[in-house]
Amino acid sequence: MKKYIYIIIIAIFTTNCGEQDVARYDAENGTTLIKFESVSSNVEVVIDSEVSIEIPISVSTYSETERSINIGVVALPDGTEDAAQPEQYSFNETVIIPANTLHTSLVLTGIDEGIESGDRLRLQLRITGANFDNVSIVEDIHTANLIQICPIPEDYLVGTYVLTSPGANIWCSGGRPSFIGNGVEVEVSIGDSPTQRVFQAKYSPGSCEGFNGPYDFVISLACGRATLALPVNTTVRCSPVANITIVDDPDRVTNYTTNDDSQITINVIDDINGSCTACCGAPFTNQSFTLTKL
């Protein structure tokens, strides 16, 4: 068994001496910076239905009158298999910024028109212009992921569960611990959307104490398939390459039925970015965790 790991903490202290010039931004008369507030969002469309989400947009200056900005679709290369089609979404290409505000949002509607279970279709959006002068548009693209989902009962996979997981492949000290917990009670709750469930757990608990969380583990429930919805980026690493990150394992699918939430096992890949490749042979495709209802 291999158990080599280093914990790296970087603390930056800044000391100010003497007189310094401080940059000040003019929120009344300066150049108006316009940007999406995030780079991506998920549009979870219930099967045979449609859903609308708000994509936040910010501006850096005030105005006593309302203003407008323009939004356009960035074309993906011909033949892109996961490109969303025009009939699968709709939005108003002109977005209004109310007077005396720094925020607005684009309302995007996802439509289940030909979206299949397991699809994750991409729609890329860009701010293309504004109806006022003295503007600077951030060129970042916002990617909206269209996903077909099935309704999930509010009480499904919610409550107190016992978390179990195999032995860890890497650890900091002492005897070999479990991957993220063994026989530990956790509270599972609804996440940011009705099809997400979230609980907290530590990485290599009892071994890397102080550096290992707890972290949010988010489970996605998509029409009979359960996955780890978001990467879990720990603060533990073996080398400067990257922090140890846990992601879903697409080759080991977990199926579920809403008739039974007594137990579920999610298969994952540990250290996907190879922080511990040199010492321990990462990434590890043999990891998983199981939740058993009390």
Side-chain angles (χ1 to χ4, degrees):
M1 295 183 293
K2 301 176 182 179
K3 53 176 181 180
Y4 305 101
I5 194 165
Y6 301 93
I7 308 300
I8 300 175
I9 305 176
I10 300 175
I12 300 176
F13 299 90
T14 303
T15 303
N16 294 324
C17 300
E19 295 295 327
Q20 295 187 3
D21 292 329
V22 178
R24 301 180 185 277
Y25 196 87
D26 187 350
E28 301 294 339
N29 303 304
T31 299
T32 302
L33 186 70
I34 310 172
K35 66 175 183 177
F36 287 113
E37 293 188 9
S38 62
V39 297
S40 65
S41 58
N42 289 336
V43 186
E44 297 185 335
V45 187
V46 174
I47 189 170
D48 296 330
S49 184
E50 61 182 52
V51 68
S52 295
I53 68 166
E54 294 187 2
I55 301 174
I57 298 171
S58 65
V59 295
S60 61
T61 61
Y62 292 99
S63 172
E64 294 181 354
T65 59
E66 71 175 27
R67 296 166 286 177
S68 65
I69 58 177
N70 302 319
I71 310 295
V73 174
V74 179
L76 293 168
D78 290 342
T80 302
E81 293 184 356
D82 62 346
Q85 301 303 309
E87 64 271 17
Q88 295 169 334
Y89 60 85
S90 67
F91 64 91
N92 192 330
E93 295 179 354
T94 301
V95 177
I96 301 299
I97 308 167
N100 300 311
T101 63
L102 297 177
H103 300 279
T104 186
S105 59
L106 168 69
V107 178
L108 173 66
T109 299
I111 305 166
D112 185 22
E113 185 66 46
I115 304 176
E116 301 295 337
S117 177
D119 284 349
R120 187 182 183 89
L121 305 180
R122 287 186 294 152
L123 169 64
Q124 294 191 328
L125 302 168
R126 173 179 285 155
I127 300 169
T128 59
N131 75 333
F132 53 99
D133 298 326
N134 198 20
V135 299
S136 176
I137 299 173
V138 175
E139 294 297 325
D140 290 348
I141 292 173
H142 183 94
T143 300
N145 300 300
L146 276 64
I147 307 166
Q148 185 193 71
I149 65 171
C150 299
I152 303 293
E154 291 185 355
D155 59 350
Y156 179 79
L157 203 63
V158 170
T160 304
Y161 281 75
V162 175
L163 168 67
T164 57
S165 63
N169 290 302
I170 45 182
W171 61 96
C172 299
S173 62
R176 183 179 186 179
S178 60
F179 170 47
I180 62 170
N182 193 43
V184 181
E185 291 187 13
V186 297
E187 292 299 318
V188 182
S189 59
I190 297 175
D192 290 339
S193 75
T195 61
Q196 289 185 348
R197 299 296 183 265
V198 60
F199 69 93
Q200 289 194 326
K202 290 187 172 184
Y203 182 79
S204 191
S207 173
C208 301
E209 292 300 325
F211 310 99
N212 60 353
Y215 306 108
D216 285 342
F217 285 76
V218 181
I219 299 172
S220 173
L221 304 170
C223 297
R225 179 173 178 174
T227 60
L228 185 67
L230 302 172
V232 179
N233 184 3
T234 75
T235 55
V236 182
R237 56 178 169 173
C238 297
S239 67
V241 173
N243 289 340
I244 295 170
T245 301
I246 306 162
V247 300
D248 187 70
D249 188 343
D251 294 328
R252 295 184 295 154
V253 176
T254 295
N255 296 314
Y256 72 90
T257 170
T258 54
N259 296 325
D260 183 9
D261 65 351
S262 59
Q263 187 177 87
I264 194 167
T265 297
I266 305 296
N267 298 309
V268 298
I269 300 173
D270 183 16
D271 194 16
I272 185 64
N273 295 320
S275 177
C276 302
T277 297
C279 74
C280 310
F284 304 105
T285 59
N286 64 331
Q287 283 298 7
S288 64
F289 60 82
T290 298
L291 296 169
T292 304
K293 198 166 191 175
L294 279 180

